[in-house]
Amino acid sequence: MKKKILVIGSMNTDMVVKTPRIPHAGETILGGIFSRFEGGKGANQAIAAKMLFPDTSFCAGVGDDSMGADYLRYLKRRRVDVSLVKKFKDAHSGVALITVDRRGENAITVAPGANLLLSPKDMAKINFSQFSHVAFQLETDLDTVCEGLERAKAAGCETILTPAPAVILPRTMLRNVDYIIPNEHEIMLVQKGYSNAADAARALLKKGVKHVIITQGSKGSLLIDWDGEKRFPAHKVQAVDTVGAGDCFTGSFMAGLRIYGDIEKAIKLATAAAALAVCHMGAQSYRPKREVLAFMRKNENLTV
Ligand code: RIB
């Protein structure tokens, strides 16, 4: 059977205000334009993957409200398989309040609502054997993510975890993670007690994670596994909005693994997709495969 890929995670409606800078605590500043976008780390990764690999499915919790209904219609229009999305009557759909400054940097507050109601029992209902790769983040209940990872591994899937928002993770969970993709800030919170990210990454390897990929924004990314360390430079672009850039990297990386079956090729594809994504406003302003591949052809070192 031709295997699909699956993202299990959050869907949020992003309420975004563009401001000259991120306000301090207790401060009011006058911002600029307000926009509403589809977001949430899970849905962002699903859309990024879908742009590169058609057979992409998404599983999330959504409220029985107009925001949720709008979002589901949108996902269907984008032809993401949403048959695993579950509706919860007693919760609102996820919302994120986002400030984006003039350099494209952001600050985000999430009200997860129905995203947190997806339970370990919901994981037990998924037939993981139809998927080759499954990606998780941490805007979903931690026990649900643990159960999903366990079941995905047992069914022979390769698993990917974005540890965001970052928390210390149980060892029983880490042994089921093939690829963990934190940024430089997150890895220090996931694996406390180390003064640099590379040492923290090696500690995660000792706990059973197979590969650590640290995303470093405009500096690129660093792959650390038992074969050693390898740096992947980012492409220089003019960023207007970095919201969802990490999710673009992860979703595109998963699609790349499915397409090429090769980590380095997948990272190069993800690097190019994320570089293009930050040039546009909105978390899911990801570019189609032909545009990503053309961008890579123009930049010899990014060609796969
Ligand atoms: O990673 C970016 C995402 O974080 C946003 O789309 C927002 O919804 C929050 O989940």
Side-chain angles (χ1 to χ4, degrees), residues 3 128-134 149-159 178:
K3 296 228 176 181
F128 282 100
S129 65
Q130 19 166 4
F131 303 105
S132 60
H133 298 80
V134 186
L149 281 163
E150 181 85 31
R151 288 179 177 274
K153 272 322 292 170
C157 308
E158 285 211 292
T159 56
D178 291 310

Side-chain angles (χ1 to χ4, degrees), residues 14-20 29-37 98-101 241 281:
D14 288 355
M15 305 290 186
V16 182
V17 179
K18 190 105 173 127
T19 58
I29 59 173
L30 281 183
I33 293 164
F34 163 75
S35 315
R36 174 177 155 168
F37 296 107
I98 303 182
T99 310
V100 177
D101 74 12
D241 181 7
M281 278 300 290

